[in-house]
Amino acid sequence: MKKYLKIILIFLFAVTGAYLALTAGAVLSVHEQSVTALVGEEIQLPGYTASLFSRDMNDAVSVADPTDKDHTGTYTVTYRLSWHGIPRRTVRVPVTVRDVDAPVIETDTGGVLFVKTGEPADLSAFRVSDNYDAPENITLTVSGDYDLNTEGR
């Protein structure tokens, strides 16, 4: 009984050691840490280099690409190095698809806002539109160096 237990333990240590060696010897590097593209443009995913104990393993890399070039957002592209169906290394790269058109701010007052001294600014004269976001999802803020308690421009 002890003999069989010893053989089983030796086998398990050998398998564990082989697995650790294969994992430690696997290298997957993606050439870019992140990618940014504009809506509608083709997305150029970064290249990669994969090796297992200095042996070229580029053919063993799979790339899962869920990006949609026609919709804004941040997507995650997954590069996975597998050997005999067992994943050895995984690298995830964020891909951000950005809008090309800025929101439009319009007003009936020609872009000038008249505010009575000491009263808060009423931004209801401004209308904001965007080709992706609905107006209720856009926040309009006034910034800069201004004093609502002093007359002048």
Side-chain angles (χ1 to χ4, degrees), residues 70-103:
D70 296 320
H71 292 91
T72 61
T74 300
Y75 304 89
T76 301
V77 175
T78 303
Y79 294 78
R80 183 167 285 123
L81 169 60
S82 298
W83 188 65
H84 291 291
I86 300 170
R88 298 294 173 199
R89 289 284 183 258
T90 300
V91 176
R92 291 176 179 82
V93 176
V95 175
T96 303
V97 179
R98 297 190 179 207
D99 186 7
V100 294
D101 298 320

PDB file of all heavy atoms in Angstrom, residues 70-103:
ATOM      1  N   ASP A  70     -18.555  50.735 -34.759  1.00  0.00           N
ATOM      2  CA  ASP A  70     -19.641  51.675 -35.024  1.00  0.00           C
ATOM      3  C   ASP A  70     -20.332  52.178 -33.756  1.00  0.00           C
ATOM      4  O   ASP A  70     -21.300  52.934 -33.842  1.00  0.00           O
ATOM      5  CB  ASP A  70     -20.673  51.031 -35.954  1.00  0.00           C
ATOM      6  CG  ASP A  70     -20.061  50.733 -37.322  1.00  0.00           C
ATOM      7  OD1 ASP A  70     -19.280  51.575 -37.808  1.00  0.00           O
ATOM      8  OD2 ASP A  70     -20.347  49.668 -37.885  1.00  0.00           O
ATOM      9  N   HIS A  71     -19.852  51.766 -32.580  1.00  0.00           N
ATOM     10  CA  HIS A  71     -20.459  52.206 -31.326  1.00  0.00           C
ATOM     11  C   HIS A  71     -19.371  52.602 -30.327  1.00  0.00           C
ATOM     12  O   HIS A  71     -18.390  51.873 -30.157  1.00  0.00           O
ATOM     13  CB  HIS A  71     -21.324  51.103 -30.715  1.00  0.00           C
ATOM     14  CG  HIS A  71     -22.538  50.824 -31.531  1.00  0.00           C
ATOM     15  ND1 HIS A  71     -22.559  49.880 -32.533  1.00  0.00           N
ATOM     16  CD2 HIS A  71     -23.764  51.390 -31.512  1.00  0.00           C
ATOM     17  CE1 HIS A  71     -23.757  49.866 -33.092  1.00  0.00           C
ATOM     18  NE2 HIS A  71     -24.499  50.769 -32.494  1.00  0.00           N
ATOM     19  N   THR A  72     -19.555  53.754 -29.680  1.00  0.00           N
ATOM     20  CA  THR A  72     -18.587  54.207 -28.697  1.00  0.00           C
ATOM     21  C   THR A  72     -18.589  53.276 -27.490  1.00  0.00           C
ATOM     22  O   THR A  72     -19.571  52.598 -27.205  1.00  0.00           O
ATOM     23  CB  THR A  72     -18.900  55.640 -28.217  1.00  0.00           C
ATOM     24  OG1 THR A  72     -20.185  55.654 -27.605  1.00  0.00           O
ATOM     25  CG2 THR A  72     -18.844  56.630 -29.352  1.00  0.00           C
ATOM     26  N   GLY A  73     -17.484  53.256 -26.797  1.00  0.00           N
ATOM     27  CA  GLY A  73     -17.368  52.454 -25.585  1.00  0.00           C
ATOM     28  C   GLY A  73     -15.963  51.908 -25.428  1.00  0.00           C
ATOM     29  O   GLY A  73     -15.091  52.124 -26.266  1.00  0.00           O
ATOM     30  N   THR A  74     -15.757  51.230 -24.316  1.00  0.00           N
ATOM     31  CA  THR A  74     -14.478  50.573 -24.059  1.00  0.00           C
ATOM     32  C   THR A  74     -14.716  49.071 -24.055  1.00  0.00           C
ATOM     33  O   THR A  74     -15.596  48.580 -23.351  1.00  0.00           O
ATOM     34  CB  THR A  74     -13.877  51.038 -22.722  1.00  0.00           C
ATOM     35  OG1 THR A  74     -13.667  52.454 -22.774  1.00  0.00           O
ATOM     36  CG2 THR A  74     -12.551  50.350 -22.460  1.00  0.00           C
ATOM     37  N   TYR A  75     -13.958  48.384 -24.864  1.00  0.00           N
ATOM     38  CA  TYR A  75     -14.076  46.942 -25.031  1.00  0.00           C
ATOM     39  C   TYR A  75     -12.780  46.289 -24.546  1.00  0.00           C
ATOM     40  O   TYR A  75     -11.746  46.956 -24.467  1.00  0.00           O
ATOM     41  CB  TYR A  75     -14.296  46.586 -26.501  1.00  0.00           C
ATOM     42  CG  TYR A  75     -15.488  47.278 -27.119  1.00  0.00           C
ATOM     43  CD1 TYR A  75     -15.379  48.532 -27.715  1.00  0.00           C
ATOM     44  CD2 TYR A  75     -16.740  46.680 -27.098  1.00  0.00           C
ATOM     45  CE1 TYR A  75     -16.475  49.164 -28.279  1.00  0.00           C
ATOM     46  CE2 TYR A  75     -17.843  47.300 -27.661  1.00  0.00           C
ATOM     47  CZ  TYR A  75     -17.698  48.549 -28.251  1.00  0.00           C
ATOM     48  OH  TYR A  75     -18.796  49.163 -28.809  1.00  0.00           O
ATOM     49  N   THR A  76     -12.819  45.020 -24.246  1.00  0.00           N
ATOM     50  CA  THR A  76     -11.621  44.296 -23.818  1.00  0.00           C
ATOM     51  C   THR A  76     -11.323  43.191 -24.828  1.00  0.00           C
ATOM     52  O   THR A  76     -12.143  42.303 -25.045  1.00  0.00           O
ATOM     53  CB  THR A  76     -11.815  43.687 -22.418  1.00  0.00           C
ATOM     54  OG1 THR A  76     -12.092  44.738 -21.496  1.00  0.00           O
ATOM     55  CG2 THR A  76     -10.555  42.958 -21.977  1.00  0.00           C
ATOM     56  N   VAL A  77     -10.144  43.282 -25.434  1.00  0.00           N
ATOM     57  CA  VAL A  77      -9.676  42.250 -26.361  1.00  0.00           C
ATOM     58  C   VAL A  77      -8.782  41.304 -25.557  1.00  0.00           C
ATOM     59  O   VAL A  77      -7.887  41.754 -24.828  1.00  0.00           O
ATOM     60  CB  VAL A  77      -8.907  42.875 -27.544  1.00  0.00           C
ATOM     61  CG1 VAL A  77      -8.326  41.792 -28.436  1.00  0.00           C
ATOM     62  CG2 VAL A  77      -9.810  43.793 -28.335  1.00  0.00           C
ATOM     63  N   THR A  78      -9.031  40.003 -25.681  1.00  0.00           N
ATOM     64  CA  THR A  78      -8.288  39.010 -24.906  1.00  0.00           C
ATOM     65  C   THR A  78      -7.387  38.191 -25.817  1.00  0.00           C
ATOM     66  O   THR A  78      -7.855  37.597 -26.791  1.00  0.00           O
ATOM     67  CB  THR A  78      -9.262  38.073 -24.155  1.00  0.00           C
ATOM     68  OG1 THR A  78     -10.119  38.864 -23.327  1.00  0.00           O
ATOM     69  CG2 THR A  78      -8.506  37.082 -23.294  1.00  0.00           C
ATOM     70  N   TYR A  79      -6.096  38.192 -25.487  1.00  0.00           N
ATOM     71  CA  TYR A  79      -5.099  37.371 -26.179  1.00  0.00           C
ATOM     72  C   TYR A  79      -4.807  36.188 -25.254  1.00  0.00           C
ATOM     73  O   TYR A  79      -4.521  36.374 -24.068  1.00  0.00           O
ATOM     74  CB  TYR A  79      -3.801  38.152 -26.404  1.00  0.00           C
ATOM     75  CG  TYR A  79      -3.932  39.322 -27.348  1.00  0.00           C
ATOM     76  CD1 TYR A  79      -4.496  40.522 -26.938  1.00  0.00           C
ATOM     77  CD2 TYR A  79      -3.461  39.233 -28.652  1.00  0.00           C
ATOM     78  CE1 TYR A  79      -4.606  41.599 -27.796  1.00  0.00           C
ATOM     79  CE2 TYR A  79      -3.552  40.308 -29.521  1.00  0.00           C
ATOM     80  CZ  TYR A  79      -4.135  41.491 -29.088  1.00  0.00           C
ATOM     81  OH  TYR A  79      -4.224  42.553 -29.935  1.00  0.00           O
ATOM     82  N   ARG A  80      -4.863  34.969 -25.791  1.00  0.00           N
ATOM     83  CA  ARG A  80      -4.655  33.787 -24.951  1.00  0.00           C
ATOM     84  C   ARG A  80      -3.690  32.826 -25.638  1.00  0.00           C
ATOM     85  O   ARG A  80      -3.943  32.380 -26.751  1.00  0.00           O
ATOM     86  CB  ARG A  80      -5.987  33.108 -24.675  1.00  0.00           C
ATOM     87  CG  ARG A  80      -5.861  31.905 -23.754  1.00  0.00           C
ATOM     88  CD  ARG A  80      -7.196  31.418 -23.230  1.00  0.00           C
ATOM     89  NE  ARG A  80      -7.646  32.354 -22.193  1.00  0.00           N
ATOM     90  CZ  ARG A  80      -8.805  33.009 -22.236  1.00  0.00           C
ATOM     91  NH1 ARG A  80      -9.628  32.835 -23.233  1.00  0.00           N
ATOM     92  NH2 ARG A  80      -9.153  33.820 -21.265  1.00  0.00           N
ATOM     93  N   LEU A  81      -2.599  32.526 -24.950  1.00  0.00           N
ATOM     94  CA  LEU A  81      -1.629  31.529 -25.415  1.00  0.00           C
ATOM     95  C   LEU A  81      -2.003  30.193 -24.783  1.00  0.00           C
ATOM     96  O   LEU A  81      -2.050  30.067 -23.566  1.00  0.00           O
ATOM     97  CB  LEU A  81      -0.212  31.926 -25.002  1.00  0.00           C
ATOM     98  CG  LEU A  81       0.888  30.867 -25.188  1.00  0.00           C
ATOM     99  CD1 LEU A  81       1.011  30.455 -26.652  1.00  0.00           C
ATOM    100  CD2 LEU A  81       2.209  31.369 -24.649  1.00  0.00           C
ATOM    101  N   SER A  82      -2.302  29.217 -25.625  1.00  0.00           N
ATOM    102  CA  SER A  82      -2.654  27.877 -25.145  1.00  0.00           C
ATOM    103  C   SER A  82      -1.702  26.861 -25.758  1.00  0.00           C
ATOM    104  O   SER A  82      -1.237  27.027 -26.887  1.00  0.00           O
ATOM    105  CB  SER A  82      -4.089  27.520 -25.535  1.00  0.00           C
ATOM    106  OG  SER A  82      -4.997  28.404 -24.934  1.00  0.00           O
ATOM    107  N   TRP A  83      -1.431  25.820 -25.012  1.00  0.00           N
ATOM    108  CA  TRP A  83      -0.583  24.737 -25.500  1.00  0.00           C
ATOM    109  C   TRP A  83      -1.307  23.438 -25.220  1.00  0.00           C
ATOM    110  O   TRP A  83      -1.662  23.152 -24.069  1.00  0.00           O
ATOM    111  CB  TRP A  83       0.773  24.791 -24.814  1.00  0.00           C
ATOM    112  CG  TRP A  83       1.780  23.852 -25.383  1.00  0.00           C
ATOM    113  CD1 TRP A  83       2.321  23.890 -26.631  1.00  0.00           C
ATOM    114  CD2 TRP A  83       2.370  22.743 -24.724  1.00  0.00           C
ATOM    115  NE1 TRP A  83       3.215  22.875 -26.802  1.00  0.00           N
ATOM    116  CE2 TRP A  83       3.269  22.146 -25.623  1.00  0.00           C
ATOM    117  CE3 TRP A  83       2.235  22.178 -23.472  1.00  0.00           C
ATOM    118  CZ2 TRP A  83       4.021  21.039 -25.320  1.00  0.00           C
ATOM    119  CZ3 TRP A  83       2.986  21.071 -23.158  1.00  0.00           C
ATOM    120  CH2 TRP A  83       3.865  20.505 -24.080  1.00  0.00           C
ATOM    121  N   HIS A  84      -1.608  22.685 -26.246  1.00  0.00           N
ATOM    122  CA  HIS A  84      -2.392  21.451 -26.147  1.00  0.00           C
ATOM    123  C   HIS A  84      -3.732  21.712 -25.458  1.00  0.00           C
ATOM    124  O   HIS A  84      -4.185  20.920 -24.628  1.00  0.00           O
ATOM    125  CB  HIS A  84      -1.615  20.350 -25.423  1.00  0.00           C
ATOM    126  CG  HIS A  84      -0.451  19.845 -26.206  1.00  0.00           C
ATOM    127  ND1 HIS A  84      -0.593  19.101 -27.361  1.00  0.00           N
ATOM    128  CD2 HIS A  84       0.889  20.001 -26.030  1.00  0.00           C
ATOM    129  CE1 HIS A  84       0.592  18.805 -27.846  1.00  0.00           C
ATOM    130  NE2 HIS A  84       1.503  19.347 -27.071  1.00  0.00           N
ATOM    131  N   GLY A  85      -4.337  22.862 -25.792  1.00  0.00           N
ATOM    132  CA  GLY A  85      -5.657  23.198 -25.269  1.00  0.00           C
ATOM    133  C   GLY A  85      -5.664  23.747 -23.857  1.00  0.00           C
ATOM    134  O   GLY A  85      -6.713  24.083 -23.318  1.00  0.00           O
ATOM    135  N   ILE A  86      -4.506  23.858 -23.243  1.00  0.00           N
ATOM    136  CA  ILE A  86      -4.435  24.363 -21.872  1.00  0.00           C
ATOM    137  C   ILE A  86      -3.917  25.801 -21.910  1.00  0.00           C
ATOM    138  O   ILE A  86      -2.813  26.048 -22.409  1.00  0.00           O
ATOM    139  CB  ILE A  86      -3.500  23.492 -21.006  1.00  0.00           C
ATOM    140  CG1 ILE A  86      -4.023  22.049 -20.978  1.00  0.00           C
ATOM    141  CG2 ILE A  86      -3.397  24.057 -19.592  1.00  0.00           C
ATOM    142  CD1 ILE A  86      -3.057  21.065 -20.355  1.00  0.00           C
ATOM    143  N   PRO A  87      -4.700  26.771 -21.396  1.00  0.00           N
ATOM    144  CA  PRO A  87      -4.248  28.163 -21.391  1.00  0.00           C
ATOM    145  C   PRO A  87      -2.982  28.324 -20.542  1.00  0.00           C
ATOM    146  O   PRO A  87      -2.918  27.821 -19.425  1.00  0.00           O
ATOM    147  CB  PRO A  87      -5.410  28.932 -20.776  1.00  0.00           C
ATOM    148  CG  PRO A  87      -6.577  28.016 -20.816  1.00  0.00           C
ATOM    149  CD  PRO A  87      -6.035  26.624 -20.831  1.00  0.00           C
ATOM    150  N   ARG A  88      -2.005  29.023 -21.099  1.00  0.00           N
ATOM    151  CA  ARG A  88      -0.742  29.254 -20.388  1.00  0.00           C
ATOM    152  C   ARG A  88      -0.591  30.713 -19.979  1.00  0.00           C
ATOM    153  O   ARG A  88      -0.112  30.998 -18.902  1.00  0.00           O
ATOM    154  CB  ARG A  88       0.452  28.844 -21.247  1.00  0.00           C
ATOM    155  CG  ARG A  88       0.475  27.399 -21.608  1.00  0.00           C
ATOM    156  CD  ARG A  88       0.664  26.567 -20.382  1.00  0.00           C
ATOM    157  NE  ARG A  88       0.516  25.164 -20.727  1.00  0.00           N
ATOM    158  CZ  ARG A  88       0.270  24.233 -19.849  1.00  0.00           C
ATOM    159  NH1 ARG A  88       0.127  24.531 -18.592  1.00  0.00           N
ATOM    160  NH2 ARG A  88       0.138  22.983 -20.224  1.00  0.00           N
ATOM    161  N   ARG A  89      -0.984  31.612 -20.840  1.00  0.00           N
ATOM    162  CA  ARG A  89      -0.882  33.046 -20.555  1.00  0.00           C
ATOM    163  C   ARG A  89      -2.076  33.755 -21.173  1.00  0.00           C
ATOM    164  O   ARG A  89      -2.517  33.401 -22.273  1.00  0.00           O
ATOM    165  CB  ARG A  89       0.390  33.662 -21.127  1.00  0.00           C
ATOM    166  CG  ARG A  89       1.655  33.265 -20.424  1.00  0.00           C
ATOM    167  CD  ARG A  89       1.784  34.023 -19.097  1.00  0.00           C
ATOM    168  NE  ARG A  89       3.023  33.701 -18.435  1.00  0.00           N
ATOM    169  CZ  ARG A  89       3.136  32.874 -17.409  1.00  0.00           C
ATOM    170  NH1 ARG A  89       2.086  32.251 -16.942  1.00  0.00           N
ATOM    171  NH2 ARG A  89       4.294  32.649 -16.852  1.00  0.00           N
ATOM    172  N   THR A  90      -2.576  34.779 -20.488  1.00  0.00           N
ATOM    173  CA  THR A  90      -3.680  35.592 -20.994  1.00  0.00           C
ATOM    174  C   THR A  90      -3.318  37.059 -20.794  1.00  0.00           C
ATOM    175  O   THR A  90      -2.855  37.435 -19.717  1.00  0.00           O
ATOM    176  CB  THR A  90      -4.987  35.268 -20.249  1.00  0.00           C
ATOM    177  OG1 THR A  90      -5.298  33.889 -20.442  1.00  0.00           O
ATOM    178  CG2 THR A  90      -6.140  36.111 -20.763  1.00  0.00           C
ATOM    179  N   VAL A  91      -3.523  37.859 -21.836  1.00  0.00           N
ATOM    180  CA  VAL A  91      -3.304  39.304 -21.759  1.00  0.00           C
ATOM    181  C   VAL A  91      -4.570  39.988 -22.268  1.00  0.00           C
ATOM    182  O   VAL A  91      -5.097  39.616 -23.315  1.00  0.00           O
ATOM    183  CB  VAL A  91      -2.083  39.749 -22.609  1.00  0.00           C
ATOM    184  CG1 VAL A  91      -1.927  41.257 -22.591  1.00  0.00           C
ATOM    185  CG2 VAL A  91      -0.814  39.072 -22.117  1.00  0.00           C
ATOM    186  N   ARG A  92      -5.032  40.965 -21.498  1.00  0.00           N
ATOM    187  CA  ARG A  92      -6.230  41.727 -21.896  1.00  0.00           C
ATOM    188  C   ARG A  92      -5.828  43.148 -22.239  1.00  0.00           C
ATOM    189  O   ARG A  92      -5.067  43.765 -21.492  1.00  0.00           O
ATOM    190  CB  ARG A  92      -7.260  41.703 -20.768  1.00  0.00           C
ATOM    191  CG  ARG A  92      -7.849  40.327 -20.569  1.00  0.00           C
ATOM    192  CD  ARG A  92      -8.805  40.274 -19.387  1.00  0.00           C
ATOM    193  NE  ARG A  92      -9.372  38.950 -19.247  1.00  0.00           N
ATOM    194  CZ  ARG A  92      -8.772  37.931 -18.641  1.00  0.00           C
ATOM    195  NH1 ARG A  92      -7.578  38.091 -18.119  1.00  0.00           N
ATOM    196  NH2 ARG A  92      -9.357  36.752 -18.568  1.00  0.00           N
ATOM    197  N   VAL A  93      -6.346  43.653 -23.359  1.00  0.00           N
ATOM    198  CA  VAL A  93      -6.023  45.001 -23.830  1.00  0.00           C
ATOM    199  C   VAL A  93      -7.323  45.786 -23.990  1.00  0.00           C
ATOM    200  O   VAL A  93      -8.224  45.351 -24.712  1.00  0.00           O
ATOM    201  CB  VAL A  93      -5.273  44.940 -25.185  1.00  0.00           C
ATOM    202  CG1 VAL A  93      -5.018  46.332 -25.725  1.00  0.00           C
ATOM    203  CG2 VAL A  93      -3.968  44.174 -25.027  1.00  0.00           C
ATOM    204  N   PRO A  94      -7.431  46.949 -23.312  1.00  0.00           N
ATOM    205  CA  PRO A  94      -8.633  47.760 -23.494  1.00  0.00           C
ATOM    206  C   PRO A  94      -8.594  48.502 -24.833  1.00  0.00           C
ATOM    207  O   PRO A  94      -7.565  49.038 -25.224  1.00  0.00           O
ATOM    208  CB  PRO A  94      -8.582  48.752 -22.322  1.00  0.00           C
ATOM    209  CG  PRO A  94      -7.146  48.824 -21.939  1.00  0.00           C
ATOM    210  CD  PRO A  94      -6.534  47.499 -22.301  1.00  0.00           C
ATOM    211  N   VAL A  95      -9.726  48.481 -25.523  1.00  0.00           N
ATOM    212  CA  VAL A  95      -9.872  49.205 -26.790  1.00  0.00           C
ATOM    213  C   VAL A  95     -11.004  50.211 -26.596  1.00  0.00           C
ATOM    214  O   VAL A  95     -12.130  49.824 -26.289  1.00  0.00           O
ATOM    215  CB  VAL A  95     -10.193  48.255 -27.957  1.00  0.00           C
ATOM    216  CG1 VAL A  95     -10.449  49.052 -29.235  1.00  0.00           C
ATOM    217  CG2 VAL A  95      -9.064  47.263 -28.163  1.00  0.00           C
ATOM    218  N   THR A  96     -10.685  51.488 -26.757  1.00  0.00           N
ATOM    219  CA  THR A  96     -11.681  52.551 -26.585  1.00  0.00           C
ATOM    220  C   THR A  96     -12.070  53.094 -27.945  1.00  0.00           C
ATOM    221  O   THR A  96     -11.204  53.491 -28.726  1.00  0.00           O
ATOM    222  CB  THR A  96     -11.122  53.689 -25.702  1.00  0.00           C
ATOM    223  OG1 THR A  96     -10.715  53.134 -24.451  1.00  0.00           O
ATOM    224  CG2 THR A  96     -12.164  54.756 -25.465  1.00  0.00           C
ATOM    225  N   VAL A  97     -13.363  53.079 -28.228  1.00  0.00           N
ATOM    226  CA  VAL A  97     -13.888  53.653 -29.470  1.00  0.00           C
ATOM    227  C   VAL A  97     -14.535  54.981 -29.085  1.00  0.00           C
ATOM    228  O   VAL A  97     -15.446  55.014 -28.255  1.00  0.00           O
ATOM    229  CB  VAL A  97     -14.912  52.707 -30.139  1.00  0.00           C
ATOM    230  CG1 VAL A  97     -15.464  53.339 -31.402  1.00  0.00           C
ATOM    231  CG2 VAL A  97     -14.264  51.365 -30.437  1.00  0.00           C
ATOM    232  N   ARG A  98     -14.025  56.056 -29.668  1.00  0.00           N
ATOM    233  CA  ARG A  98     -14.483  57.405 -29.305  1.00  0.00           C
ATOM    234  C   ARG A  98     -15.302  58.045 -30.414  1.00  0.00           C
ATOM    235  O   ARG A  98     -15.128  57.751 -31.579  1.00  0.00           O
ATOM    236  CB  ARG A  98     -13.291  58.301 -28.996  1.00  0.00           C
ATOM    237  CG  ARG A  98     -12.528  57.799 -27.809  1.00  0.00           C
ATOM    238  CD  ARG A  98     -11.522  58.771 -27.359  1.00  0.00           C
ATOM    239  NE  ARG A  98     -10.863  58.193 -26.205  1.00  0.00           N
ATOM    240  CZ  ARG A  98     -10.308  58.888 -25.272  1.00  0.00           C
ATOM    241  NH1 ARG A  98     -10.308  60.183 -25.340  1.00  0.00           N
ATOM    242  NH2 ARG A  98      -9.728  58.295 -24.258  1.00  0.00           N
ATOM    243  N   ASP A  99     -16.134  58.950 -29.973  1.00  0.00           N
ATOM    244  CA  ASP A  99     -16.977  59.725 -30.876  1.00  0.00           C
ATOM    245  C   ASP A  99     -16.127  60.775 -31.585  1.00  0.00           C
ATOM    246  O   ASP A  99     -15.201  61.334 -30.996  1.00  0.00           O
ATOM    247  CB  ASP A  99     -18.080  60.393 -30.052  1.00  0.00           C
ATOM    248  CG  ASP A  99     -19.109  61.115 -30.899  1.00  0.00           C
ATOM    249  OD1 ASP A  99     -19.046  61.000 -32.134  1.00  0.00           O
ATOM    250  OD2 ASP A  99     -19.965  61.781 -30.328  1.00  0.00           O
ATOM    251  N   VAL A 100     -16.435  61.060 -32.837  1.00  0.00           N
ATOM    252  CA  VAL A 100     -15.687  62.056 -33.581  1.00  0.00           C
ATOM    253  C   VAL A 100     -16.347  63.431 -33.540  1.00  0.00           C
ATOM    254  O   VAL A 100     -15.735  64.429 -33.872  1.00  0.00           O
ATOM    255  CB  VAL A 100     -15.487  61.635 -35.058  1.00  0.00           C
ATOM    256  CG1 VAL A 100     -14.599  60.423 -35.150  1.00  0.00           C
ATOM    257  CG2 VAL A 100     -16.808  61.381 -35.743  1.00  0.00           C
ATOM    258  N   ASP A 101     -17.609  63.481 -33.146  1.00  0.00           N
ATOM    259  CA  ASP A 101     -18.336  64.744 -33.130  1.00  0.00           C
ATOM    260  C   ASP A 101     -18.545  65.222 -31.700  1.00  0.00           C
ATOM    261  O   ASP A 101     -19.073  64.486 -30.860  1.00  0.00           O
ATOM    262  CB  ASP A 101     -19.708  64.589 -33.800  1.00  0.00           C
ATOM    263  CG  ASP A 101     -19.576  64.202 -35.260  1.00  0.00           C
ATOM    264  OD1 ASP A 101     -18.681  64.741 -35.937  1.00  0.00           O
ATOM    265  OD2 ASP A 101     -20.348  63.349 -35.718  1.00  0.00           O
ATOM    266  N   ALA A 102     -18.157  66.463 -31.442  1.00  0.00           N
ATOM    267  CA  ALA A 102     -18.354  67.047 -30.116  1.00  0.00           C
ATOM    268  C   ALA A 102     -19.824  67.426 -29.942  1.00  0.00           C
ATOM    269  O   ALA A 102     -20.527  67.690 -30.916  1.00  0.00           O
ATOM    270  CB  ALA A 102     -17.489  68.294 -29.968  1.00  0.00           C
ATOM    271  N   PRO A 103     -20.308  67.452 -28.690  1.00  0.00           N
ATOM    272  CA  PRO A 103     -21.669  67.939 -28.460  1.00  0.00           C
ATOM    273  C   PRO A 103     -21.808  69.385 -28.945  1.00  0.00           C
ATOM    274  O   PRO A 103     -20.839  70.140 -28.966  1.00  0.00           O
ATOM    275  CB  PRO A 103     -21.824  67.861 -26.936  1.00  0.00           C
ATOM    276  CG  PRO A 103     -20.791  66.887 -26.496  1.00  0.00           C
ATOM    277  CD  PRO A 103     -19.665  67.021 -27.466  1.00  0.00           C
TER     278      PRO A 103
END
